Amino acid sequence: MSKKSFRQAINEAMHQEMERDPNVILMGEDVAGGMGAPGEEDAWGGVLGVTKGLVGTYGRERVLDTPITESAFVGAAAGSAITGLRPIVELMFVDFMGVCFDQIFNQAAKFRYMFGGKAKTPLVVRTMYGAGFRAASQHSQSLYPVFTHIPGLKVAIPSSPYEAKGLLISAIRDDDPVIFFENKMMYDDEGEVPDEAYTIPFGEANLTREGKDVTIVAFGRMVNLANQAADALAKEGISCTVVDPRTTSPLDLDTILECVEDTGRLVVVDEASPRCNMATDIAAQVAQDAFAHLKAPVRMVAPPHTPVPFSPSLEDAYLPTAAKIQEAVRMTMNAAQREVA
Amino acid sequence: MSSKTHLDRQHALRVLQDMLLIRRFEAKCVELYQAQKIRGFLHLYDGEEAVAVGVMQALGARDAVVATYREHGQAIARGVPLGPLMAEMYGKREGCCRGRGGSMHIFDRAKRFFGGNAIVGGGLPLAIGIALADKELGRGAVTACFFGEGAVGEGAFHESMNLAELWGLPVLFVCENNLYAMGVPLEQGEAETDIYRKASAYRMPAEMVDGMSPVAVESATLRAVESIRAGNGPYFLECRTYRFRAHSMFDAQLYRTREEVELWKARDPLVLMRSWLEENHMLSAQEYAAMESEVEREIDEAVAFAEAGSWEAVEDLERFTLMDEVPE
């Protein structure tokens, strides 16, 4: 165990899995740093340096720089996955899914079911998401609900360096296509990460705080904000459970329902656009299955339904914050008090 | 291996029989569709038999095939067993995809037949990946990727052509140019109507082939496969062909004239091949009749297999959405 950044944790997971299994390959734009180009090999290592060092260790046959041709290389990864390789694709920004979505949702996601269980597609698409980087509308989206909507895909969203390494190793060993969401604001976040390889199972939520008044469900970077909010609220005498589901598909609804039954109040924090996102999905399922336990209406904390703005003042206003989460939690508490009064 | 096609009698008769099997299978599908045994979409291969049959003669068991949604003929030519193929059309549990794929999604791992694909151009990137895996795993295989000329308008086509050449992948691109992308004639859909010329933009060797001649298709494929196996990277064939029937079961064919269809029917690959064999005393009327009975018997058996099949249990509706468990 030692302190590592989110970036190092992801890099280490890929290193260890590529070492363990020679069929694991990596492809994407600039993952090696200019295939065949003169100059320093591995100059770039991915747009944010996540894949640095891999080409030096595993060579150009297993670390493939691709042209800017997402449809071809994401589809190629899917094709190679049904014939024996275990590809990890780096799709630089999830926003680029627009130019290759067919290969994910019509092809990779459907093979196993449509071919009667006779094909498996062990594909991992690693991609960056999230606002706050001043990256504007086409490099900042949080599109995980879109993938969660597609049967046949799994979706993981790590909330810390520890989660990132364990979830990525699980993703690489998984025989289904997995979309792995890395928040671009978190690459320098540090945390304790074991040196050895380990897995974190999909579909098993993690409780980062345990309390009795309000359940807060959050994903990815929002888990950290939810923790900050919970810690601040504790000083006001409001005790919160924070649930990090880790994966949106499969979703550990059982744990969420158990926590709601214990606390009677729910706040869902989601960085994705507010319509048909994880917050609305979880709110609806809780309303259906745990209505009798709710002491207050469910509150959802999400951005407004607008593209991500560039202007720093607007982008800061766009994102959920710990303060917004605290306010939502207080509203659930006040609603309950009114009921009692 | 020589790329010259040896038209020995036995080989020629097998080619004719494969084409006949496809033609009669499709006719049976129409009959079963009208009887509502087969539902949904049905895209028939009549007229284009020489392409699939010709290509498959030049492929071996280790090679892979990526197909289109007009793929019954491609599957039959590849040797996908007829019973499971017909059962799949019915949606039966005994179908090659347990009835979950249907007409447009025939799949057979043992035959390395990696799926009919209902997205125009959707199979091309997959073919690149299959070829990549085969190359990296040292299988020495060629991936034959079928697509229609309509797919050429898709970005996935151009991206896949580029990547295949760039990475020197063992891919045989087989464009079945039947001159209509649904109802849009070639000259209204493509600025360059000689599709094979597009390959030169990717520095890929390419040929235009008479897609009504199984012999021409086979020889071209042998040349292509020889070049690919020699490590020269991908190869492109444009097979000029024609579909005799409508695009699907929902097409009144108002976009083309009866005369045009008749002109192409005069070049029917089955009729031409049969006449050629007869003229060269390689096929007698009795032998052709025997071939017909054999084909009919195979189809009857396939229909009986499908009829006798069972329906998937409704409890299994959600099964196979994901792997049941993560294998160690």
Side-chain angles (χ1 to χ4, degrees):
Chain A
M1 189 80 88
S2 58
K3 240 184 171 49
K4 286 167 193 142
S5 70
F6 194 71
R7 175 187 288 108
Q8 285 172 310
I10 294 167
N11 183 275
E12 198 169 89
M14 289 190 285
H15 249 301
Q16 289 174 347
E17 286 305 287
M18 290 187 81
E19 188 179 7
R20 185 186 63 80
D21 183 347
N23 288 336
V24 175
I25 64 163
L26 172 67
M27 56 171 111
E29 288 154 12
D30 274 309
V31 292
M35 181 173 259
E40 193 196 351
E41 187 169 277
D42 194 19
W44 207 327
V47 67
L48 289 178
V50 179
T51 57
K52 215 167 176 58
L54 292 169
V55 70
T57 312
Y58 302 105
R60 293 197 177 276
E61 285 219 328
R62 293 181 62 198
V63 181
L64 294 119
D65 261 353
T66 67
I68 301 171
T69 187
E70 288 85 359
S71 212
F73 73 74
V74 171
S80 74
I82 56 172
T83 43
L85 295 181
R86 304 189 77 87
I88 306 167
V89 176
E90 182 173 302
L91 184 69
M92 206 179 282
F93 294 91
V94 72
D95 315 71
F96 302 170
M97 200 60 76
V99 292
C100 60
F101 200 24
D102 176 63
Q103 293 299 323
I104 297 289
F105 91 101
N106 271 322
Q107 309 297 340
K110 302 289 193 283
F111 290 156
R112 181 162 162 76
Y113 192 90
M114 191 168 76
F115 299 146
K118 293 170 187 176
K120 68 175 181 183
T121 315
L123 162 71
V124 179
V125 179
R126 289 181 37 244
T127 189
M128 255 192 278
Y129 82 99
F133 206 83
R134 316 309 187 207
S137 297
Q138 295 174 341
H139 279 63
S140 300
Q141 295 170 86
S142 297
L143 296 174
Y144 44 84
V146 175
F147 298 88
T148 306
H149 182 73
I150 311 294
L153 296 179
K154 289 176 178 170
V155 181
I157 314 175
S159 60
S160 71
Y162 173 84
E163 297 284 326
K165 183 175 174 184
L167 286 170
L168 183 53
I169 291 178
S170 292
I172 295 167
R173 295 183 188 178
D174 199 295
D175 279 336
D176 288 311
V178 178
I179 316 297
F180 191 85
F181 279 83
E182 301 166 11
N183 190 297
K184 64 175 75 67
M185 301 296 286
M186 290 173 64
Y187 283 115
D188 292 320
D189 287 5
E190 290 198 330
E192 292 295 326
V193 178
D195 296 327
E196 67 279 6
Y198 60 94
T199 57
I200 295 175
F202 284 7
E204 286 185 22
N206 182 38
L207 305 189
T208 59
R209 297 288 186 278
E210 292 192 53
K212 58 179 178 45
D213 297 322
V214 181
T215 297
I216 308 173
V217 178
F219 297 89
R221 191 169 79 90
M222 295 297 115
V223 174
N224 302 326
L225 301 186
N227 287 336
Q228 288 169 27
D231 294 344
L233 287 160
K235 291 174 192 149
E236 297 173 21
I238 300 172
S239 133
C240 296
T241 292
V242 176
V243 183
D244 171 10
R246 291 170 160 154
T247 52
T248 61
S249 186
L251 179 68
D252 184 359
L253 191 63
D254 290 345
T255 297
I256 294 170
L257 289 172
E258 280 165 25
C259 293
V260 170
E261 283 166 18
D262 288 346
T263 59
R265 300 176 187 88
L266 175 65
V267 171
V268 195
V269 188
D270 197 341
E271 194 179 335
S273 299
R275 303 297 317 280
C276 299
N277 66 3
M278 291 314 301
T280 60
D281 180 59
I282 289 169
Q285 297 198 65
V286 165
Q288 177 176 275
D289 297 334
F291 188 73
H293 296 275
L294 286 174
K295 298 172 187 165
V298 175
R299 304 296 315 178
M300 296 184 276
V301 181
H305 197 59
T306 183
V308 180
F310 168 70
S311 162
S313 62
L314 292 180
E315 191 181 30
D316 291 345
Y318 170 91
L319 274 167
T321 59
K324 289 177 188 171
I325 298 167
Q326 289 169 51
E327 184 52 31
V329 167
R330 285 189 205 105
M331 285 171 82
T332 65
M333 293 299 289
N334 293 340
Q337 281 160 9
R338 271 202 301 275
E339 229 169 79
V340 172
Chain B
M1 192 200 292
S2 162
S3 65
K4 190 165 158 43
T5 309
H6 295 288
L7 247 197
D8 66 81
R9 179 173 176 272
Q10 205 181 354
H11 181 73
L13 291 178
R14 197 177 64 233
V15 166
L16 179 64
Q17 184 161 336
D18 279 1
M19 292 200 299
L20 184 64
L21 181 60
I22 294 168
R23 182 71 58 89
R24 297 290 167 87
F25 183 89
E26 298 293 54
K28 181 59 77 177
C29 284
V30 173
E31 195 184 312
L32 293 165
Y33 196 88
Q34 283 157 355
Q36 300 197 354
K37 295 277 189 182
I38 298 175
R39 312 296 297 266
F41 288 106
L42 197 60
H43 306 88
L44 303 169
Y45 202 60
D46 299 53
E48 306 186 30
E49 294 91 344
V51 181
V53 173
V55 167
M56 299 306 174
Q57 302 308 312
L59 300 182
R62 66 183 154 159
D63 298 319
V65 177
V66 172
T68 65
Y69 54 77
R70 194 181 302 287
E71 90 282 32
H72 308 167
Q74 295 153 2
I76 292 170
R78 181 60 182 170
V80 173
L82 225 53
L85 179 62
M86 187 58 93
E88 189 60 32
M89 307 278 181
Y90 273 64
K92 292 284 182 79
R93 189 176 188 279
E94 290 73 13
C96 53
C97 303
R98 297 177 70 106
R100 284 154 193 256
S103 165
M104 299 193 287
H105 302 297
I106 302 304
F107 179 90
D108 188 330
R109 179 174 283 284
K111 296 287 176 191
R112 302 206 81 210
F113 191 85
F114 290 108
N117 206 308
I119 306 297
V120 172
L124 282 107
L126 302 173
I128 304 309
I130 291 165
L132 174 70
D134 284 346
K135 190 181 179 190
E136 296 223 347
L137 299 172
R139 293 188 180 124
V142 170
T143 298
C145 179
F146 288 81
F147 53 94
E149 87 286 354
V152 169
E154 293 282 1
F157 167 83
H158 298 276
E159 294 190 25
S160 302
M161 293 283 285
N162 183 54
L163 209 54
E165 182 62 35
L166 198 62
W167 288 356
L169 296 176
V171 182
L172 171 64
F173 292 93
V174 183
C175 178
E176 297 179 317
N177 183 356
N178 66 16
L179 308 180
Y180 289 90
M182 292 182 65
V184 177
L186 181 59
E187 62 276 11
Q188 283 183 32
E190 282 297 325
E192 172 55 83
T193 52
D194 284 344
I195 303 291
Y196 76 98
R197 289 161 63 101
K198 291 174 186 287
S200 69
Y202 305 101
R203 309 174 75 101
M204 196 185 296
E207 295 181 41
M208 190 194 280
V209 187
D210 176 5
M212 304 307 270
S213 162
V215 179
V217 175
E218 182 178 347
S219 344
T221 310
L222 282 168
R223 276 193 298 280
V225 168
E226 190 174 277
S227 167
I228 295 166
R229 288 207 210 282
N232 298 322
Y235 206 100
F236 189 97
L237 297 179
E238 176 191 354
C239 301
R240 285 271 174 154
T241 184
Y242 200 78
R243 81 177 137 67
F244 291 167
R245 290 186 188 265
H247 163 74
S248 71
M249 304 309 277
F250 306 93
D251 169 13
Q253 302 186 66
L254 301 175
Y255 48 82
R256 60 185 190 182
T257 62
R258 205 174 283 274
E259 291 71 29
E260 181 185 291
V261 178
E262 289 311 315
L263 269 176
W264 277 92
K265 280 190 173 171
R267 297 182 54 203
D268 186 328
L270 262 170
V271 174
L272 293 187
M273 180 101 185
R274 182 186 163 191
S275 321
W276 186 84
L277 285 165
E278 285 173 350
E279 281 158 24
N280 288 278
H281 311 292
M282 289 201 261
L283 180 69
S284 68
Q286 292 90 328
E287 282 168 331
Y288 187 71
M291 190 184 278
E292 281 185 306
S293 329
E294 166 61 16
V295 161
E296 292 300 337
R297 187 190 59 74
E298 279 183 62
I299 291 168
D300 288 347
E301 274 179 21
V303 173
F305 179 84
E307 286 285 342
S310 52
W311 299 109
E312 274 266 63
V314 171
E315 300 86 82
D316 283 342
L317 170 67
E318 294 177 45
R319 196 176 165 201
F320 302 129
T321 301
L322 295 168
M323 298 298 289
D324 296 330
E325 55 192 29
V326 180
E328 286 305 312

